[in-house]
Amino acid sequence: MHLAYPAVLAVLLFCTGLYGVLARRNAILVLMSVELMLNAVNLNLVAFDVWLRDTLHAGQALTLFTIAIAAAEIGIGLAIVLMVYRNRGTSDVDRLRDTAEGHEPAPTAETAPTEVAA
């Protein structure tokens, strides 16, 4: 097997995933793009394992660990995105940056609580 074919396919998958991470604003599409990048890495691991004729099949074993980590990542990531969507009403990445602590607007005279004199 020629190493060039799976390597070129892995580069195309990785570049597609990188474009999706950098250009998309929807959090679910960003997670899908990260999965594409991980699958490109898995393809490279298996291709180099076959090309080097490794007797221990370390590339394939590492691929199984990567798949398990990717499954956990997508499960937790989707749970977080769905919870944020339920609370905020959007999954736009730019708007989600406002959820960090310390970025709450300062109280104004209209929203500040007034004290009642007793």
Side-chain angles (χ1 to χ4, degrees), residues 69-91:
I69 290 171
E73 174 258 334
I74 198 70
I76 293 171
L78 276 176
I80 291 171
V81 168
L82 289 175
M83 193 161 161
V84 168
Y85 181 77
R86 191 177 299 157
N87 289 335
R88 302 281 306 231
T90 184
S91 63

Side-chain angles (χ1 to χ4, degrees), residues 9-86:
L9 180 61
V11 166
L12 290 174
L13 279 175
F14 193 85
C15 289
T16 304
L18 186 65
Y19 173 74
V21 167
L22 296 176
R24 299 292 179 183
R25 294 293 163 230
N26 189 346
I28 294 175
L29 291 177
V30 170
L31 286 174
M32 289 174 57
S33 298
V34 169
E35 290 294 322
L36 267 178
M37 292 168 62
L38 285 173
N39 284 330
V41 170
N42 289 339
L43 181 61
N44 269 334
L45 284 171
V46 171
F48 276 99
D49 183 51
V50 170
W51 184 64
L52 292 173
R53 293 185 176 98
D54 186 16
T55 57
L56 295 176
H57 300 293
Q60 294 177 19
L62 191 57
T63 298
L64 289 175
F65 286 118
T66 307
I67 290 171
I69 290 171
E73 174 258 334
I74 198 70
I76 293 171
L78 276 176
I80 291 171
V81 168
L82 289 175
M83 193 161 161
V84 168
Y85 181 77
R86 191 177 299 157

